[in-house]
Amino acid sequence: MPLSNERRRACVTAVAAALPERRVTNQELAHQVDTTDEWIVSRTGIRERRLVEPGTGLSALAIPAARRCLEKAGVAAADLDGIIVATISGDQIMPAVANLVQHALGANNAWGYDLLNACNGFVAALSTATCFIEAGRAERILVIGGDVMSSIVDWKDRNTCVLFGDGCGAVLVEAAAPGSGNGVVGFELHSDGGKGDDLSLPCAGSLKPPAWAKGHFIHQNGRVVFQNAVRRMTEVVDSLMGAYSLTKDDIDLLVPHQANLRIIEPIAERIGLPMDKVVINIDRLANTTAATIPLALADAEADGRLKVGTRVMLVAFGGGLTWGACYLRWGR
Ligand code: UT7
């Protein structure tokens, strides 16, 4: 739907990150599996990642990220209406991480649930929050994207274990009056369940319960996922740009999901954006799944590239297969 000044706006007013202390370099992984720093850097752009200590749940990152986000916004936890956590690696299936965050913050007026959409999770959660706010069903929603990927990768499988990292980011989405200049302009979400097996976590659900230990790890058909990622992320950005008559000059910052630098570069090239307008954190953080985009937003804010009024295109792709994009003007 084209942007109308009559509509209530969902504005992203603050961002915060929480990362584990422990840095693990490619060289360290080369002691564990048959790989090299050269292979990992040249194939993916990853140089190091942050990992939690084993036995740490996502809430240990989500709670501090949420607290910092509210502090930055100057908003009391009691003023939140909802909390959505995008993740595929919550502490437990039940209760949801959103409920753990709600309790820890004392957000006593907020509902909360986790949203399972893999690497597209943050874009999906932000889109969901936008709908609540535009419909007048909420005033303030905390949207969190985070994953403890170290808990669901097979540390003996070089095809996957070198790719991922742990981390969490949170944004506050608040209502603004119609006519306000900033806020979410539009979004698009897609899925293709036919390719679900190309990126899966088979044994965590009802079909194959977790007791089937080996299947409790990420499985990925890297090449198929790579080709689909480049194609679908490019398509969805093109489509959103078309829907809102945007040109490359309307994008100040591209904040893509960080699965592979070789996926990000052709997307930027296709849009016609120089790489200095693209936020990259994969070199330092690897693929943190639902956390890549909010962590990249936090970096861009810290280095001064993201300010009130900055026009941002978010785009993600992941298991499902699912993909989506969201275009917004930062701040209120
Ligand atoms: O975030 C959710 C979405 N995920 C993605 O978007 C990821 C998409 N896929 C990719 O980014 C890439 O496909 C990967 C990074 C996963 C793999 O890169 P690739 O260039 O497609 O490599 P490949 O899987 O085709 O493997 C090439 C070779 C193989 O050896 P052979 O069969 O040619 O002898 C692999 O066994 O590289 C080997 N290999 C490794 N070698 C050293 C695979 N992993 C490693 C490794 N170290 N860690």
Side-chain angles (χ1 to χ4, degrees):
M1 195 197 313
L3 178 69
S4 138
N5 272 339
E6 322 277 287
R7 251 174 43 210
R8 245 164 86 92
R9 283 293 182 77
C11 295
V12 185
T13 55
V15 59
L19 288 167
E21 296 274 303
R22 188 158 63 107
R23 286 170 200 270
V24 178
T25 61
N26 293 343
Q27 285 88 348
E28 285 171 79
L29 289 188
H31 295 302
Q32 271 173 257
V33 286
D34 181 16
T35 190
T36 58
D37 178 52
E38 194 279 326
W39 190 96
I40 301 172
V41 174
S42 65
R43 296 289 177 124
T44 69
I46 299 166
R47 291 179 187 279
E48 61 179 32
R49 72 282 296 134
R50 300 287 191 96
L51 299 181
V52 298
E53 295 303 326
T56 307
L58 176 62
S59 63
L61 299 175
I63 292 167
R67 279 211 178 99
R68 276 172 215 151
C69 187
L70 290 186
E71 272 165 30
K72 283 176 77 175
V75 165
D79 291 334
L80 284 178
D81 297 312
I83 300 171
I84 307 177
V85 179
T87 186
I88 55 166
S89 52
D91 294 40
Q92 303 170 170
I93 299 281
M94 196 171 64
V97 177
N99 308 141
L100 304 177
V101 172
Q102 179 263 331
H103 175 67
L105 297 183
N108 297 330
N109 301 309
W111 44 257
Y113 54 82
D114 291 358
L115 187 152
L116 198 74
N117 210 222
C119 299
N120 195 44
F122 180 78
V123 172
L126 178 58
S127 306
T128 304
T130 297
C131 292
F132 270 103
I133 284 176
E134 287 183 352
R137 301 268 178 176
E139 296 297 312
R140 280 177 208 88
I141 300 177
L142 204 51
V143 174
I144 299 173
D147 273 297
V148 175
M149 296 303 291
S150 58
S151 67
I152 53 172
V153 295
D154 181 352
W155 287 103
K156 295 193 183 74
D157 175 15
R158 69 175 184 174
N159 290 293
T160 51
C161 74
V162 303
L163 304 176
F164 294 99
D166 302 334
C168 187
V171 299
L172 182 66
V173 188
E174 296 189 81
S180 100
N182 297 327
V184 174
V185 176
F187 59 82
E188 241 188 79
L189 300 171
H190 297 273
S191 67
D192 175 4
K195 296 193 183 69
D197 289 341
D198 289 317
L199 182 45
S200 63
L201 182 54
C203 293
S206 49
L207 182 63
K208 295 175 185 169
W212 302 25
K214 179 86 170 108
H216 197 48
F217 295 130
I218 290 270
H219 154 84
Q220 175 166 247
N221 187 349
R223 284 187 190 178
V224 172
V225 175
F226 186 101
Q227 286 157 2
N228 278 274
V230 174
R231 178 175 152 218
R232 296 305 198 178
M233 288 167 87
T234 307
E235 264 175 22
V236 72
V237 170
D238 270 354
S239 171
L240 197 56
M241 288 175 72
Y244 292 93
S245 306
L246 306 173
T247 70
K248 68 179 167 57
D249 298 329
D250 297 307
I251 301 174
D252 301 318
L253 270 190
L254 177 69
V255 183
H257 172 54
Q258 315 270 318
N260 194 324
L261 196 57
R262 292 187 296 129
I263 293 175
I264 295 170
E265 284 166 345
I267 296 167
E269 193 180 313
R270 171 67 196 257
I271 302 170
L273 287 181
M275 285 306 282
D276 62 3
K277 287 191 166 187
V278 184
V279 185
I280 302 293
N281 65 20
I282 188 170
D283 51 334
R284 289 169 293 117
L285 303 179
N287 181 351
T288 53
T289 300
T292 60
I293 290 179
L295 289 173
L297 288 170
D299 280 348
E301 190 200 46
D303 70 24
R305 283 194 285 171
L306 181 64
K307 303 185 203 75
V308 172
T310 303
R311 298 161 305 169
V312 188
M313 180 68 82
L314 312 179
V315 59
F317 181 90
L321 300 175
T322 59
W323 58 101
C326 180
Y327 179 71
L328 59 95
R329 287 198 290 260
W330 189 258
R332 208 197 288 264

